[in-house]
Every structure is written in C-alpha cells, then in structure tokens.
Amino acid sequence: MGSVINRIQGILEELPKSEAKVGRAILADPSKIVKMSIHELAENSGASGAAVIRFCHSMGLEGFPELKMKLSVELVQPEKTGYYDIEPNEDFEEITRKLVSNTVQTLNDTVGQLDKAKVLLACDILQQADTIYAYGVGASWLIAEDIAQKWMRAGKHAIAIADPHILAMAFAAGSKEAVFFAVSNSGETSEVLQLADEALNNGLELLSLTRFGQNKLKQKATVALETSRAPETELRSAATSSRQAQFLVIDILFYFYASHHYEEMIEQIRASREATNRFRES
C-alpha cells in the first residue's frame, strides 16, 4: 500500500553518504533493481554490500529481499498517485486534484509503514497509565488536543497542556504511572525535546509521533510511531498532508485500543455522551 519510492525520496538527503548512493541508484532505475543481487546493487551504486543492508534498515525494511519485493509490487501498479507541488496561477480544479492526490498518497504511505507491534505496545502502555499528557507545537498542537480528547472519552485522565512550564511542573508533581505523548513532525522541536527529557527524568513513559526517519525525539521514546514523509517542495504542499497522516495514526491507535477494551469503552462513551447531553440541556 505504501510507496517505498516515495519513502526513499523523502529521506534521501538525510542519509549517510554511502546509503544515499544506494538510494540514488534505486531511484534512477527502480525496475532494474528488482533483478539485481545485493552485490550488483552495491557495485552499481558505488557502495558496499553492508551499505545496502544499512540502507534497507534505514527505510524500515528487514533487508534487501523485502526491498525488492516492495519495489516489484509498486512497479506493477497500473496507476500511481504521487506528490505534487502548487505552480503559479493554477486553476481551482488542478489545485484540488493535487492536494487530494497528496493526501491520498500520504495516508497510503503512512499505513504502509505503520508498525503493528509498536501500535500494540503503545496500546498496552496507554492502558496501564493513570494519566496521559499530550503536547505539540503549532499544527502538532491540534494532534495533542485530539489525543487528550480521545483518551478522555476512554475514561483516562488525559490532558493537553499548551504551556510547557506548567506541563513540566505536572510531570514533577503528578503520578509516576503517567505517559507523555509527544508530537513533533520533524522530531526536532526544541520545546518537545526538553519536555521529553523532563518526562523521562520523572519516570514517565514516552510515546512519540514524528515523520519517518531518524530524529532526536524518536531516539528518546519508548514507542516511536511514524507518519510518511513527502519530498520537500517549494510551497511544501505535500507537507500539509502530514496533519491528516498524524490524525490517521492517532485514529488507528485509538480504535485499536477501543476494540481491545470494547466493553469498558462502550460504558465510558455512554457516560461521556450523557454528560455532554446534560450540558447541552442546562
């Protein structure tokens, strides 16, 4: 479902030089790669066999056979949706088509690389927590609010706090059975990283949601969930789809959680609905 070619394009410039050589060789002619051995790709790219293996791992793949399999599947698809940037003076229909295409591609790529084992572990951590804190900056704040609202409906003490100083105090004064859900598309937002350190120093579990690739927040997290990563463009129109991808990951996590705590969730949702109904009636 997810595009490995898009994944390579999105992360290529951040790879070590030897791995970037492998990535460029694949992008130059993906159809040729599926017929190569690992040693042939290494020779073709001017890298080593070890660099090819490291490249596969950087792409979130188990090894070269999985890379070839995913490329083979992708290359036989009759019609490929892609990422498009906005050009000067485009008409309404073209802008709409491009943005829809970007969103569809982002969602498909995100689902294609989402790790089921990580989702399971995140659900277990959230279930065991008595408090869930959520935080993000800018557009990621919207995701943090969504996390808090969803798990509040699940009967958890879940809050999104916009002031990082107050959140740091909450870490220090609150329960040590808490979870900090940190959201940062880049994984490098300074306030989020500082709060992640504060959470860990106070014994909290750390969940993160970032884009695909290596980043500081992902390295700190107990469980690191990831969205797809679009290639950079001038207006970054593809990057605007990252919000939808973040919301999708949280939706998948929440409904997986709900499905595995079904009876409890039904009671909690019924209670929250009754509470909001009473509020409207007053």
Side-chain angles (χ1 to χ4, degrees):
M1 184 180 292
S3 168
V4 70
I5 293 175
N6 288 333
R7 198 182 306 181
I8 295 169
Q9 290 173 333
I11 200 175
L12 185 64
E13 298 306 316
E14 292 186 5
L15 292 172
K17 289 183 179 179
S18 60
E19 294 180 38
K21 289 180 181 179
V22 177
R24 291 190 183 95
I26 293 170
L27 293 176
D29 193 349
S31 61
K32 187 165 66 174
I33 304 304
V34 299
K35 302 174 184 176
M36 288 184 175
S37 68
I38 188 170
H39 301 295
E40 288 171 333
L41 175 55
E43 183 177 353
N44 183 268
S45 61
S48 64
V52 174
I53 294 172
R54 290 196 301 271
F55 170 83
C56 293
H57 292 164
S58 294
M59 292 300 107
L61 306 173
E62 292 185 0
F64 188 58
E66 186 180 5
L67 172 65
K68 293 209 305 181
M69 181 273 291
K70 286 186 174 295
L71 283 173
S72 297
V73 171
E74 190 168 339
L75 292 170
V76 299
Q77 291 176 348
E79 184 175 341
K80 178 178 176 297
T81 306
Y83 293 107
Y84 302 94
D85 201 17
I86 304 303
E87 303 295 336
N89 301 313
E90 287 193 293
D91 61 26
F92 174 83
E93 288 76 14
E94 185 64 12
I95 290 173
T96 301
R97 185 191 67 79
K98 286 184 175 182
L99 292 179
V100 169
S101 176
N102 291 346
T103 298
V104 169
Q105 191 65 56
T106 299
L107 298 182
N108 281 334
D109 288 350
T110 293
V111 171
Q113 70 190 34
L114 196 58
D115 190 326
K116 178 183 176 181
K118 289 183 178 181
V119 173
L120 282 168
L121 182 54
C123 282
D124 288 342
I125 290 172
L126 290 166
Q127 194 277 328
Q128 294 168 20
D130 57 21
T131 306
I132 299 168
Y133 301 105
Y135 181 81
V137 175
S140 293
W141 171 247
L142 302 175
I143 315 304
E145 286 187 312
D146 188 53
I147 292 168
Q149 188 267 346
K150 278 184 165 60
W151 268 271
M152 194 180 301
R153 292 184 68 205
K156 291 289 185 179
H157 181 222
I159 50 176
I161 299 177
D163 188 324
H165 298 92
I166 294 177
L167 188 52
M169 287 190 289
F171 292 162
S175 167
K176 304 310 175 189
E177 301 300 320
V179 171
F180 176 41
F181 209 138
V183 184
S184 169
N185 186 50
S186 68
E188 302 289 345
T189 308
S190 58
E191 296 97 322
V192 178
L193 292 173
Q194 289 174 328
L195 284 169
D197 288 336
E198 287 295 325
L200 293 172
N201 289 339
N202 283 282
L204 278 68
E205 293 276 16
L206 176 62
L207 304 183
S208 70
L209 177 59
T210 70
R211 67 189 181 189
F212 179 78
Q214 291 302 314
N215 58 71
K216 293 176 183 177
L217 182 58
K218 176 182 176 180
Q219 292 169 359
K220 297 175 186 290
T222 308
V223 180
L225 301 174
E226 295 174 294
T227 63
S228 66
R229 184 168 180 166
E232 288 295 331
T233 51
E234 289 297 321
L235 284 183
R236 300 181 73 248
S237 60
T240 63
S241 301
S242 63
R243 290 193 306 277
Q244 285 92 336
Q246 288 174 322
F247 279 124
L248 175 65
V249 171
I250 298 306
D251 282 347
I252 291 171
L253 179 63
F254 178 74
Y255 286 107
F256 195 88
Y257 180 96
S259 177
H260 286 73
H261 302 87
Y262 190 83
E263 295 303 325
E264 177 186 347
M265 283 290 298
I266 291 296
E267 290 301 316
Q268 292 294 342
I269 290 172
R270 183 179 294 117
S272 64
R273 183 183 297 118
E274 289 173 356
T276 55
N277 287 341
R278 287 194 299 271
F279 183 83
R280 286 197 295 267
E281 291 166 359
S282 62

